[in-house]
Amino acid sequence: KDLFIMSRGSVGKALEIQHNNGLEIFDKLIELLFFSKEISKEKIWELLSMQNSFENSKDYHKFIINMLLSAITHISISMIDEKKSFLNNYNNNKNRKLYEKNYSDFYFPYTLIYSMVLEDFNNALKVNLNLEYILFTIFIKIEKIKKSFKL
């Protein structure tokens, strides 16, 4: 069910997610974005260097950015209405409580993060920048936003 929701019903996308350890990557991203007080630089580099079965790092980093956007989207949805988010059941399976308080006030920072990731990614593609470094920079920006909004 989680794979179906993450792939938005696309069989090809579901196969790509499954083939490239997308659920494991998604778990790591949720951990970094929501549960971690600080984003570990070592965990970021570990995530960025995995590459899985991709032929080149650029395709892998595009996959990571798409998984990152998906994770941010699902966190945002869960903050608006926990009943509409699969993260409620997803995290209960991992013995974690996502909804200990009303997170609706924290919706804005995650929409800000989403916009920033999308803009940085699009700008990087326009000028053919190294996506690994852009992703690392994105995670640093995410950490700053989390600290400034006390997420």
Side-chain angles (χ1 to χ4, degrees):
K1 182 181 174 183
D2 296 342
L3 191 57
F4 177 79
I5 292 169
M6 288 175 64
S7 66
R8 298 185 179 141
S10 167
V11 174
K13 187 72 173 167
L15 289 172
E16 179 186 33
I17 291 169
Q18 187 174 23
H19 180 68
N20 294 298
N21 298 326
L23 293 176
E24 178 187 340
I25 291 169
F26 188 82
D27 282 348
K28 289 179 182 185
L29 291 170
I30 293 294
E31 178 71 33
L32 290 170
L33 291 169
F34 196 80
F35 290 108
S36 297
K37 296 279 185 206
E38 289 188 26
I39 297 177
S40 163
K41 310 306 182 271
E42 293 81 24
K43 286 184 180 181
I44 295 170
W45 282 120
E46 179 185 311
L47 179 68
L48 297 179
S49 62
M50 287 171 56
Q51 197 166 331
N52 293 335
S53 61
F54 286 92
E55 290 182 21
N56 61 61
S57 61
K58 187 172 185 176
D59 289 339
Y60 173 69
H61 293 127
K62 285 181 183 179
F63 178 75
I64 292 292
I65 289 171
N66 285 323
M67 294 302 294
L68 177 60
L69 290 171
S70 177
I72 295 166
T73 298
H74 288 292
I75 289 171
S76 297
I77 290 169
S78 70
M79 291 181 176
I80 295 170
D81 186 355
E82 68 181 83
K83 294 174 187 163
K84 292 185 178 179
S85 173
F86 85 99
L87 286 180
N88 190 27
N89 293 329
Y90 186 83
N91 283 298
N92 283 342
N93 293 338
K94 304 199 180 343
N95 297 318
R96 293 200 176 157
K97 188 68 177 152
L98 188 60
Y99 309 102
E100 293 176 356
K101 57 183 177 178
N102 182 1
Y103 287 111
S104 60
D105 295 340
F106 298 127
Y107 173 75
F108 171 73
Y110 284 99
T111 58
L112 177 66
I113 290 169
Y114 186 94
S115 298
M116 181 265 309
V117 169
L118 201 54
E119 183 177 359
D120 285 0
F121 177 59
N122 286 331
N123 288 336
L125 289 177
K126 285 179 189 175
V127 293
N128 203 24
L129 293 175
N130 182 323
L131 294 181
E132 183 176 34
Y133 298 130
I134 294 300
L135 271 163
F136 188 78
T137 304
I138 285 171
F139 279 107
I140 300 300
K141 289 179 180 180
I142 289 170
E143 184 173 38
K144 287 182 180 181
I145 291 170
K146 283 182 67 174
K147 283 182 181 178
S148 67
F149 284 96
K150 297 179 174 96
L151 300 177

